[in-house]
Amino acid sequence: MSEHTFITSTGEKIPVIIETRRGARNITLRPKTICEREIHISKPWVSSVADALRFLESKRKWVEKIFVACPIKEQIKPGDTLCILGNEYTITHNPNQRLNTTDKNIITIGGDIKMFEHRMRDLVKKQTMQEIKSIIRTTPPEFWPKKIALHDTTSRWGSCSSTGTMSFSWRLALAPYEVLRYVVMHELAHTRHMDHSPEFWHTVSELYGFGVERAKRWLNKNGQSLYKYL
């Protein structure tokens, strides 16, 4: 449990975790917004806790800006609605049902209510993987990856390694469908261009078609909203 708290101008209390590290020369801040909202501070041995807290206060505007941009988690409950892969679903719960099921615009999560969000997350991941594979199959085979992986990343929405593995954030399922498709085409284009050269963006546009800039702008502007649920 944290001994210190950073109180924002809106009254939110964010735990502050201070660590002393051998070899550190400066005090560094790392605001964490996923999954827990915390502020981690690393300091050298010669700096006191009071020094670290003063440094944090000096960076108040920057820290507050980060937490304002990242929404506070909202718990998904039976009866809520959620847009997944461009379709809106009502989420229900049936404790007597073993499997999670999707029927038209209704998703039913089975099992213990304590596992409700966990099982909902698993369902979203499964549907996301299926849809990514479907999108990839619409492109020429020479773009197809050797392996696909899903992660809950905080720094990037997708990646393409030189070994042929492509990774995607499953949270893209919570964005408009065109945004997921844009990220998939973006990573597929990296199989030809491992950079962001004009030739790379031309390949992205060829794969995606009309509207690629609109999808790109949506993600740049609204990407943090995808961390609101689950």
Side-chain angles (χ1 to χ4, degrees):
M1 185 175 179
S2 173
E3 297 180 359
H4 308 282
T5 303
F6 179 84
I7 303 177
T8 68
S9 57
T10 61
E12 181 184 358
K13 297 180 179 180
I14 302 173
V16 177
I17 299 169
I18 302 175
E19 299 175 297
T20 300
R21 292 195 174 183
R22 292 184 179 276
R25 295 183 178 181
N26 302 299
I27 299 173
T28 58
L29 297 180
R30 185 167 64 89
K32 181 182 176 184
T33 59
I34 305 165
C35 296
E36 301 295 332
R37 291 163 75 86
E38 300 172 336
I39 298 172
H40 290 248
I41 304 179
S42 296
K43 70 176 187 66
W45 284 97
V46 296
S47 297
S48 66
V49 170
D51 291 334
L53 294 175
R54 278 194 293 270
F55 183 73
L56 170 60
E57 188 60 33
S58 73
K59 301 296 182 180
R60 171 172 285 276
K61 288 185 178 180
W62 174 71
V63 172
E64 289 214 30
K65 184 177 179 180
I66 291 174
F67 284 102
V68 167
C70 298
I72 297 175
K73 288 277 190 185
E74 290 189 16
Q75 186 177 11
I76 292 291
K77 307 177 299 298
D80 286 348
T81 59
L82 191 63
C83 192
I84 303 170
L85 297 171
N87 299 308
E88 189 171 274
Y89 295 94
T90 299
I91 316 300
T92 63
H93 175 241
N94 183 352
N96 300 316
Q97 181 174 303
R98 284 190 60 192
L99 301 176
N100 305 321
T101 58
T102 303
D103 182 18
K104 296 182 180 179
N105 64 335
I106 297 176
I107 289 176
T108 302
I109 302 299
D112 192 328
I113 190 63
K114 294 179 181 178
M115 298 294 291
F116 184 80
E117 281 205 331
H118 177 81
R119 298 194 71 176
M120 181 68 202
R121 193 158 43 241
D122 287 346
L123 182 144
V124 172
K125 289 180 182 179
K126 181 179 179 180
Q127 291 188 351
T128 304
M129 179 64 82
Q130 292 173 344
E131 194 57 43
I132 288 173
K133 290 179 178 179
S134 295
I135 293 171
I136 290 173
R137 284 195 291 268
T138 67
T139 65
E142 58 264 30
F143 288 98
W144 295 3
K146 293 181 180 179
K147 182 180 177 182
I148 304 169
L150 292 181
H151 299 288
D152 193 3
T153 54
T154 59
S155 59
R156 58 177 63 184
W157 300 109
S159 63
C160 177
S161 74
S162 57
T163 61
T165 297
M166 287 187 186
S167 299
F168 299 93
S169 169
W170 61 264
R171 292 186 177 278
L172 289 165
L174 307 178
Y177 181 79
E178 293 77 13
V179 174
L180 169 64
R181 186 169 172 270
Y182 156 69
V183 175
V184 173
M185 297 309 180
H186 182 115
E187 299 311 324
L188 291 178
H190 277 311
T191 60
R192 285 191 177 177
H193 309 282
M194 291 297 286
D195 54 26
H196 289 95
S197 62
E199 292 77 15
F200 164 80
W201 288 112
H202 179 71
T203 302
V204 174
S205 295
E206 282 189 327
L207 290 170
Y208 185 94
F210 179 77
V212 63
E213 286 300 324
R214 182 170 61 245
K216 181 181 176 183
R217 285 196 300 271
W218 189 99
L219 190 58
N220 289 337
K221 182 179 180 181
N222 304 291
Q224 289 297 332
S225 66
L226 303 183
Y227 295 99
K228 185 176 182 180
Y229 302 110
L230 300 176

Short mmCIF file of all heavy atoms in Angstrom, two decimals, residues 144-148 156 158-167 187-188 190-192 194:
data_model
loop_
_atom_site.label_atom_id
_atom_site.label_comp_id
_atom_site.label_asym_id
_atom_site.label_seq_id
_atom_site.Cartn_x
_atom_site.Cartn_y
_atom_site.Cartn_z
N TRP A 144 0.52 -11.75 -45.70
CA TRP A 144 0.04 -12.45 -44.51
C TRP A 144 1.18 -12.74 -43.53
O TRP A 144 2.27 -13.15 -43.93
CB TRP A 144 -0.63 -13.76 -44.90
CG TRP A 144 -1.89 -13.57 -45.71
CD1 TRP A 144 -2.40 -12.39 -46.14
CD2 TRP A 144 -2.74 -14.59 -46.21
NE1 TRP A 144 -3.55 -12.59 -46.88
CE2 TRP A 144 -3.78 -13.95 -46.93
CE3 TRP A 144 -2.74 -15.98 -46.12
CZ2 TRP A 144 -4.80 -14.65 -47.56
CZ3 TRP A 144 -3.76 -16.69 -46.74
CH2 TRP A 144 -4.78 -16.03 -47.44
N PRO A 145 0.94 -12.56 -42.24
CA PRO A 145 1.97 -12.85 -41.23
C PRO A 145 2.08 -14.35 -40.96
O PRO A 145 1.16 -15.12 -41.26
CB PRO A 145 1.45 -12.11 -40.00
CG PRO A 145 -0.04 -12.17 -40.15
CD PRO A 145 -0.30 -12.03 -41.63
N LYS A 146 3.19 -14.73 -40.36
CA LYS A 146 3.36 -16.13 -39.96
C LYS A 146 2.60 -16.44 -38.69
O LYS A 146 2.14 -17.56 -38.47
CB LYS A 146 4.86 -16.44 -39.76
CG LYS A 146 5.67 -16.38 -41.03
CD LYS A 146 7.13 -16.71 -40.75
CE LYS A 146 7.96 -16.65 -42.02
NZ LYS A 146 9.40 -16.94 -41.75
N LYS A 147 2.47 -15.44 -37.83
CA LYS A 147 1.81 -15.63 -36.54
C LYS A 147 1.12 -14.34 -36.12
O LYS A 147 1.60 -13.24 -36.42
CB LYS A 147 2.85 -16.04 -35.48
CG LYS A 147 2.29 -16.33 -34.11
CD LYS A 147 3.41 -16.72 -33.14
CE LYS A 147 2.88 -16.95 -31.74
NZ LYS A 147 3.98 -17.29 -30.79
N ILE A 148 -0.01 -14.48 -35.40
CA ILE A 148 -0.75 -13.32 -34.89
C ILE A 148 -0.87 -13.45 -33.39
O ILE A 148 -1.18 -14.53 -32.87
CB ILE A 148 -2.16 -13.23 -35.52
CG1 ILE A 148 -2.06 -13.19 -37.04
CG2 ILE A 148 -2.90 -12.00 -35.00
CD1 ILE A 148 -3.41 -13.36 -37.72
N ARG A 156 1.52 0.98 -28.06
CA ARG A 156 1.25 0.88 -29.50
C ARG A 156 0.06 -0.03 -29.74
O ARG A 156 -0.22 -0.95 -28.95
CB ARG A 156 2.47 0.37 -30.25
CG ARG A 156 2.98 -0.99 -29.78
CD ARG A 156 4.16 -1.47 -30.61
NE ARG A 156 5.31 -0.60 -30.50
CZ ARG A 156 6.43 -0.77 -31.19
NH1 ARG A 156 6.53 -1.76 -32.06
NH2 ARG A 156 7.45 0.06 -31.02
N GLY A 158 -0.38 -1.83 -32.60
CA GLY A 158 0.01 -3.00 -33.36
C GLY A 158 1.51 -2.97 -33.60
O GLY A 158 2.16 -1.93 -33.46
N SER A 159 2.07 -4.12 -33.96
CA SER A 159 3.50 -4.18 -34.27
C SER A 159 3.74 -5.34 -35.23
O SER A 159 2.96 -6.30 -35.29
CB SER A 159 4.34 -4.37 -33.00
OG SER A 159 4.03 -5.60 -32.37
N CYS A 160 4.82 -5.23 -35.98
CA CYS A 160 5.20 -6.27 -36.94
C CYS A 160 6.68 -6.54 -36.78
O CYS A 160 7.50 -5.63 -36.94
CB CYS A 160 4.88 -5.80 -38.36
SG CYS A 160 5.39 -6.96 -39.66
N SER A 161 7.03 -7.77 -36.45
CA SER A 161 8.44 -8.11 -36.24
C SER A 161 9.05 -8.64 -37.53
O SER A 161 8.34 -9.07 -38.45
CB SER A 161 8.58 -9.16 -35.14
OG SER A 161 8.16 -10.42 -35.61
N SER A 162 10.37 -8.62 -37.59
CA SER A 162 11.09 -9.11 -38.77
C SER A 162 10.94 -10.62 -38.91
O SER A 162 11.24 -11.17 -39.98
CB SER A 162 12.57 -8.74 -38.67
OG SER A 162 13.13 -9.26 -37.48
N THR A 163 10.47 -11.31 -37.85
CA THR A 163 10.28 -12.76 -37.91
C THR A 163 8.92 -13.15 -38.50
O THR A 163 8.63 -14.32 -38.67
CB THR A 163 10.40 -13.37 -36.51
OG1 THR A 163 9.38 -12.82 -35.66
CG2 THR A 163 11.77 -13.07 -35.91
N GLY A 164 8.09 -12.14 -38.76
CA GLY A 164 6.79 -12.43 -39.36
C GLY A 164 5.64 -12.50 -38.38
O GLY A 164 4.52 -12.86 -38.75
N THR A 165 5.89 -12.14 -37.11
CA THR A 165 4.83 -12.13 -36.11
C THR A 165 4.21 -10.74 -36.03
O THR A 165 4.92 -9.74 -35.95
CB THR A 165 5.38 -12.50 -34.72
OG1 THR A 165 5.87 -13.85 -34.77
CG2 THR A 165 4.28 -12.42 -33.66
N MET A 166 2.88 -10.69 -36.05
CA MET A 166 2.16 -9.43 -35.89
C MET A 166 1.38 -9.47 -34.59
O MET A 166 0.74 -10.47 -34.27
CB MET A 166 1.20 -9.19 -37.06
CG MET A 166 1.88 -8.82 -38.33
SD MET A 166 0.73 -8.34 -39.62
CE MET A 166 1.88 -8.17 -41.00
N SER A 167 1.47 -8.38 -33.84
CA SER A 167 0.76 -8.26 -32.57
C SER A 167 -0.21 -7.09 -32.64
O SER A 167 0.09 -6.06 -33.25
CB SER A 167 1.75 -8.05 -31.42
OG SER A 167 2.63 -9.14 -31.31
N GLU A 187 -0.08 -2.65 -40.20
CA GLU A 187 0.94 -3.66 -39.87
C GLU A 187 1.27 -4.54 -41.07
O GLU A 187 2.43 -4.94 -41.26
CB GLU A 187 0.51 -4.50 -38.68
CG GLU A 187 0.30 -3.69 -37.40
CD GLU A 187 1.46 -2.77 -37.07
OE1 GLU A 187 2.63 -3.15 -37.34
OE2 GLU A 187 1.21 -1.66 -36.56
N LEU A 188 0.28 -4.86 -41.89
CA LEU A 188 0.55 -5.66 -43.08
C LEU A 188 1.49 -4.92 -44.03
O LEU A 188 2.36 -5.53 -44.67
CB LEU A 188 -0.76 -5.99 -43.81
CG LEU A 188 -1.72 -6.95 -43.10
CD1 LEU A 188 -2.97 -7.14 -43.93
CD2 LEU A 188 -1.06 -8.30 -42.84
N HIS A 190 3.86 -3.14 -43.24
CA HIS A 190 5.23 -3.25 -42.72
C HIS A 190 5.95 -4.50 -43.23
O HIS A 190 7.17 -4.60 -43.09
CB HIS A 190 5.23 -3.24 -41.19
CG HIS A 190 5.18 -1.87 -40.60
ND1 HIS A 190 6.01 -0.85 -40.99
CD2 HIS A 190 4.37 -1.34 -39.63
CE1 HIS A 190 5.74 0.24 -40.30
NE2 HIS A 190 4.75 -0.02 -39.46
N THR A 191 5.23 -5.45 -43.78
CA THR A 191 5.90 -6.62 -44.35
C THR A 191 6.72 -6.23 -45.58
O THR A 191 7.63 -6.96 -45.97
CB THR A 191 4.90 -7.73 -44.72
OG1 THR A 191 3.98 -7.23 -45.71
CG2 THR A 191 4.12 -8.18 -43.50
N ARG A 192 6.38 -5.09 -46.16
CA ARG A 192 7.15 -4.58 -47.31
C ARG A 192 8.07 -3.43 -46.93
O ARG A 192 9.13 -3.27 -47.50
CB ARG A 192 6.20 -4.11 -48.42
CG ARG A 192 5.54 -5.23 -49.19
CD ARG A 192 4.83 -4.68 -50.41
NE ARG A 192 4.24 -5.75 -51.21
CZ ARG A 192 3.52 -5.54 -52.30
NH1 ARG A 192 3.29 -4.31 -52.72
NH2 ARG A 192 3.02 -6.55 -52.97
N MET A 194 9.63 -1.66 -43.51
CA MET A 194 9.78 -1.62 -42.06
C MET A 194 10.15 -0.20 -41.61
O MET A 194 11.09 0.03 -40.86
CB MET A 194 10.84 -2.62 -41.60
CG MET A 194 10.43 -4.07 -41.78
SD MET A 194 8.98 -4.52 -40.79
CE MET A 194 9.71 -4.60 -39.16
#
